Amino acid sequence: MTDDISELTARHTYGTWRAQRGWKPLHVTKAEGCHFWDASGKRYLDFSSQLVCSNLGHQNQAVIDAICAQAKELAFIGPSYTCDIRAKAALKMLEVMPKGLDKFFFATSGTEANEAAIKIARLYTGKHKIIARYTSYHGSTAGSIAATGDLRRWFVEPTGKIPGVIFGPEANCYRCPLQQKQGTCGTACADYLAYMIDHEENVAAIIVEPIVGTNGVLVPPPDYLPKLAEHAKKRGVLLIADEVMTGWGRTGKWFAVEHWGVTPDILTTAKGVTNAAMPLGVVATSRAISDYFDDNYFAHGHTYEAHPLTLAPAVAAIDEYKRLNLIERSAKMGELLGQKLKALAEKHPSIGDVRGLGLFWAVELVKDRTTKEPFNTPQDKAQRKPLVIDAVAAEMTKRGVTVLAWVSHLVIAPPLIVTEEELDEGVAALDAALTIADEKIAA
Ligand code: PLP
């Protein structure tokens, strides 16, 4: 049975971000808490909450009950109408969103949320350029992929993306794009973005992941985001914070911008908002922006926007994050996870850097710690060469622990309900699998 399901899936549905040949998706039959099971009965520890989205753990009962109850009450009503859950969801968002963001557009993915944010920024400012950063991911459609700095954008050059997006450097203290040394750099990477605004015409917005996610869990220096927000404000440019991955307690706060006391003009989010049990994306906007659209055309919308079945689990999920104290728990357990990962670095010469915040960590592998030479480059990945990081992740999967692997690092982000025993289980699998990378150094 399991082979049939995998084979049928691969034959008739697309495996994404890959060539199709050789795709054999694991057939999952059950999931609960921090674990899921394949059709043979093998159990896996989900050490990345799938795509950093199942923050409450799998099959959270309150979320599932909310979906079922909403389906029975009112499964769908078109966007120009309203229903109880639409108003309730907006009020629930207000409880946790950074103060000042008080009007929402409900979409159905992180991609769509960013697509809408770019359009809103352009409509509001009357300007068209968007500044994004190279080491970033913002989604897969024409606008959001255009703002994506990483290799996934390369496949749609030059025709599959909107024009008007320009790229600047990210804050990456391990591999500074401006060749600066942390502590003495004056956060030149933030100043460089201001320099870009000053030398471009018509900049509507800067879009950033407050902590870069898939591309390496890059936590910026403490003054980076406040400085960037000030640079943008001074120049009449909007700051869009993409919290699709960093929202919902992942970094030890409801939203990562809270670490630095910054309120963006637009915040986008998705994933953990419903514990990924229903597809919801959220665009939260400032009062200035919502006031503007009182008398100007809000030129955006979808049939499925503000879909009742996506809003009911969002309300339930927010209540669950609160009831289980998961934001505080993420900060506390995250410190523990960080200590355990850093201890591995003492043992494994292939670990170049360990960094993170809350339950959001990256382990970056290198061939040589002194030169920081990586095993593989983004070009290797784009050209489908075998990657050392994929071999390490595959070994972990064999040992019953799944993580996200990207070019030369692993993203480790277990559900926020994770226990210390489960952290130990995941770290032990990583410890064993890292031998593969260590041996590549010796070879
Ligand atoms: N933005 C960030 C920071 C993401 O990590 C992702 C997905 O991983 C997206 C946007 C796109 O979200 P979605 O996959 O829900 O379209």
Side-chain angles (χ1 to χ4, degrees):
M1 181 68 172
T2 185
D3 277 353
D4 285 354
I5 294 292
S6 291
E7 205 230 295
L8 282 169
T9 302
R11 194 182 325 148
H12 295 296
T13 75
Y14 284 103
T16 50
W17 304 115
R18 57 167 298 131
Q20 302 303 294
R21 193 172 307 288
W23 186 42
K24 198 166 187 299
L26 188 69
H27 176 194
V28 174
T29 51
K30 184 176 122 176
E32 194 184 318
C34 294
H35 292 90
F36 62 91
W37 285 260
D38 71 16
S40 76
K42 179 172 171 182
R43 189 182 84 144
Y44 300 83
L45 173 67
D46 189 344
F47 222 31
S48 65
S49 308
Q50 296 299 293
L51 299 175
V52 195
C53 54
S54 303
N55 291 7
L56 294 169
H58 293 279
Q59 298 295 105
N60 176 281
Q61 198 56 50
V63 168
I64 289 167
D65 289 346
I67 297 168
C68 296
Q70 186 62 44
K72 284 188 181 151
E73 184 185 314
L74 183 67
F76 178 73
I77 194 73
S80 63
Y81 299 89
T82 191
C83 57
D84 289 354
I85 198 63
R86 184 163 176 177
K88 260 192 209 163
L91 287 179
K92 197 49 86 177
M93 292 291 152
L94 288 179
E95 289 179 16
V96 298
M97 281 282 166
K99 294 283 164 276
L101 303 179
D102 64 1
K103 194 159 185 174
F104 309 103
F105 174 74
F106 293 122
T108 50
S109 65
T111 290
E112 282 179 24
N114 285 327
E115 198 75 32
I118 290 170
K119 196 197 264 187
I120 289 168
R122 286 176 163 179
L123 289 169
Y124 171 72
T125 61
K127 299 176 182 171
H128 74 277
K129 286 190 188 165
I130 303 291
I131 294 179
R133 302 177 307 173
Y134 280 109
T135 303
S136 66
Y137 180 67
H138 295 294
S140 59
T141 55
S144 57
I145 198 78
T148 288
D150 79 26
L151 65 97
R152 283 169 280 191
R153 188 192 74 253
W154 301 349
F155 295 90
V156 297
E157 307 276 12
T159 55
K161 61 185 183 77
I162 60 166
V165 182
I166 44 177
F167 289 94
E170 53 284 339
N172 181 347
C173 297
Y174 182 62
R175 295 182 186 280
C176 177
L178 302 180
Q179 317 282 317
Q180 301 289 308
K181 279 211 165 45
Q182 193 176 5
T184 58
C185 66
T187 329
C189 51
D191 295 337
Y192 193 95
L193 296 177
Y195 174 84
M196 287 177 68
I197 300 172
D198 291 341
H199 289 79
E200 291 282 346
E201 279 286 301
N202 278 311
V203 178
I206 297 185
I207 183 167
V208 297
E209 295 167 80
I211 296 173
V212 171
T214 312
N215 283 281
V217 191
L218 302 172
V219 183
D223 59 333
Y224 177 81
L225 215 60
K227 205 176 187 191
L228 187 60
E230 202 184 308
H231 283 324
K233 190 169 176 195
K234 221 164 116 188
R235 292 162 174 81
V237 167
L238 300 184
L239 179 65
I240 303 173
D242 175 348
E243 296 247 18
V244 170
M245 207 174 250
T246 49
W248 312 106
R250 176 50 57 195
T251 72
K253 302 274 186 195
W254 282 98
F255 295 96
V257 289
E258 293 169 44
H259 287 288
W260 305 286
V262 166
T263 301
D265 301 285
I266 302 177
L267 184 150
T268 57
T269 189
K271 294 192 187 261
V273 62
T274 62
N275 199 33
M278 275 284 170
L280 176 64
V282 183
V283 185
T285 60
S286 69
R287 175 57 62 87
I289 293 174
S290 60
D291 281 352
Y292 171 82
F293 287 107
D294 281 347
D295 295 305
N296 289 281
Y297 203 70
F298 187 80
H300 199 65
H302 308 284
T303 301
Y304 293 153
E305 82 197 32
H307 195 293
L309 289 184
T310 67
L311 299 178
V315 171
I318 293 172
D319 284 340
E320 283 293 90
Y321 286 118
K322 288 185 177 184
R323 183 180 72 82
L324 298 167
N325 252 328
L326 291 183
I327 313 304
E328 293 78 6
R329 187 184 170 82
S330 170
K332 198 174 112 224
M333 296 304 280
E335 271 183 33
L336 209 55
L337 175 58
Q339 285 163 18
K340 290 175 192 291
L341 294 174
K342 283 178 182 162
L344 282 189
E346 320 231 314
K347 239 171 111 180
H348 295 282
S350 58
I351 294 184
D353 196 29
V354 174
R355 54 188 175 250
L357 199 54
L359 278 168
F360 198 31
W361 286 82
V363 174
E364 180 165 341
L365 304 189
V366 288
K367 241 188 219 169
D368 183 326
R369 259 191 195 167
T370 319
T371 62
K372 300 183 183 174
E373 186 188 353
F375 285 107
N376 293 105
T377 62
Q379 282 76 9
D380 291 343
K381 183 164 174 69
Q383 291 159 17
R384 293 191 273 137
K385 294 190 180 150
L387 307 182
V388 170
I389 206 73
D390 287 344
V392 171
E395 179 61 26
M396 288 181 73
T397 304
K398 228 191 257 172
R399 292 170 181 270
V401 176
T402 57
V403 285
L404 273 182
W406 186 253
V407 183
S408 56
H409 58 264
L410 300 171
V411 175
I412 298 179
L416 311 186
I417 58 169
V418 72
T419 62
E420 184 165 3
E421 293 69 40
E422 287 163 341
L423 289 182
D424 286 336
E425 184 187 339
V427 171
L430 174 60
D431 188 8
L434 281 169
T435 312
I436 291 177
D438 293 342
E439 281 169 359
K440 295 263 182 229
I441 293 177

